[in-house]
């Protein structure tokens, strides 16, 4: 009887480290697969990559009230309408007073409307640029969700060109690369104008 109790005790002691190892492994899997680490934080991506994610500093969600043209929208912030000029891009003109409608301007405005009408967005400021332009418009990168930078979509599809006003902004490299790819592929305005 004593031998049997001694053998059972030894077996339990051998199983305890194995059990602890299994519990630790399960906890690690839970943590890294989604239960703990980065649960509310999207994965980081290399700057300039197509998998770049919306920064935590972006303000939103803000409902889009109206699309003015390809690179200007109106959002509702704190109950007031706010005119926003998309940073780092330029679309052909379609509504500028005393100016003719430019080639691909109506298409650029329509595409921006398709992307944003009835949706909410997040606005990302750029510390290298002014917060407001000379017309009183908020200057911002516009995010549709965690991974869709509208400015980049418009450039990559050929509805806009990369535009640097004074100094390169934080998304300059990715917007410039998107323009080169769109131009080389004859996308949008690059194949029509």
């Amino acid at each position: 009887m004593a031998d049997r109790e001694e053998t059972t005790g030894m077996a339990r002691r051998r199983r305890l480290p194995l059990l602890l190892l299994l519990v630790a492994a399960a906890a690690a899997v839970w943590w890294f697969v989604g239960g703990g680490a980065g649960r509310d934080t999207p994965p980081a991506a290399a700057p300039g990559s197509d998998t770049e994610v919306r920064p935590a500093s972006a303000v939103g969600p803000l409902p889009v009230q109206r699309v003015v043209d390809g690179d200007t929208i109106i959002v509702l912030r704190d109950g007031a309408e706010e005119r926003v000029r998309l940073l780092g891009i330029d679309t052909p003109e379609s509504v500028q007073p005393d100016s003719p409608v430019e080639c691909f301007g109506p298409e650029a405005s329509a595409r921006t409307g398709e992307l944003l009408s009835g949706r909410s967005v997040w606005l990302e400021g750029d510390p290298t640029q002014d917060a407001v332009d000379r017309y009183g418009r908020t200057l911002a990168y516009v995010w549709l969700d965690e991974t869709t930078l509208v400015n980049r979509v418009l450039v990559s599809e050929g509805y806009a060109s990369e535009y640097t006003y004074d100094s390169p902004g934080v998304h300059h490299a990715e917007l410039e690369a998107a323009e080169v790819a769109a131009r080389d592929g004859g996308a949008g305005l690059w194949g029509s104008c």
Side-chain angles (χ1 to χ4, degrees):
M1 186 79 160
D3 285 338
R4 187 169 184 217
E5 287 176 15
E6 190 175 307
T7 305
T8 304
M10 286 175 51
R12 284 185 188 150
R13 278 182 285 201
R14 275 190 243 140
R15 280 189 242 151
L16 183 60
L18 181 60
L19 181 62
L20 290 174
L21 181 62
L22 288 173
V23 168
V29 168
W30 172 81
W31 180 262
F32 289 107
V33 170
R39 183 175 187 167
D40 295 326
T41 305
S49 73
D50 284 341
T51 57
E52 194 161 12
V53 295
R54 181 183 74 225
S57 61
V59 176
L62 303 171
V64 175
Q65 295 298 106
R66 185 166 68 90
V67 172
V68 176
D69 63 13
D71 54 28
T72 305
I73 63 173
I74 297 174
V75 299
L76 192 63
R77 188 193 307 220
D78 299 327
E81 288 189 345
E82 182 174 335
R83 193 172 284 252
V84 178
R85 171 64 164 79
L86 279 69
L87 260 175
I89 71 168
D90 190 37
T91 61
E93 295 301 333
S94 62
V95 296
Q96 187 174 18
D98 301 323
S99 294
V101 172
E102 295 179 345
C103 179
F104 227 70
E107 292 87 346
S109 292
R111 180 61 177 139
T112 302
E114 289 170 9
L115 289 168
L116 300 179
S117 291
R119 307 285 300 271
S120 289
V121 297
W122 286 257
L123 304 180
E124 175 192 358
D126 187 333
T128 70
Q129 308 296 310
D130 291 333
V132 177
D133 70 7
R134 64 183 176 175
Y135 304 109
R137 298 177 295 187
T138 297
L139 299 173
Y141 299 105
V142 176
W143 292 86
L144 193 53
D145 54 41
E146 288 198 8
T147 59
T148 307
L149 177 58
V150 174
N151 313 50
R152 179 177 53 228
V153 170
L154 293 171
V155 173
S156 66
E157 293 178 353
Y159 292 99
S161 58
E162 183 279 329
Y163 176 72
T164 300
Y165 175 67
D166 192 25
S167 61
V170 296
H171 293 287
H172 170 77
E174 71 183 277
L175 294 173
E176 190 172 58
E179 180 183 319
V180 169
R183 190 177 328 127
D184 289 351
L189 67 92
W190 304 111
S192 299
C193 302

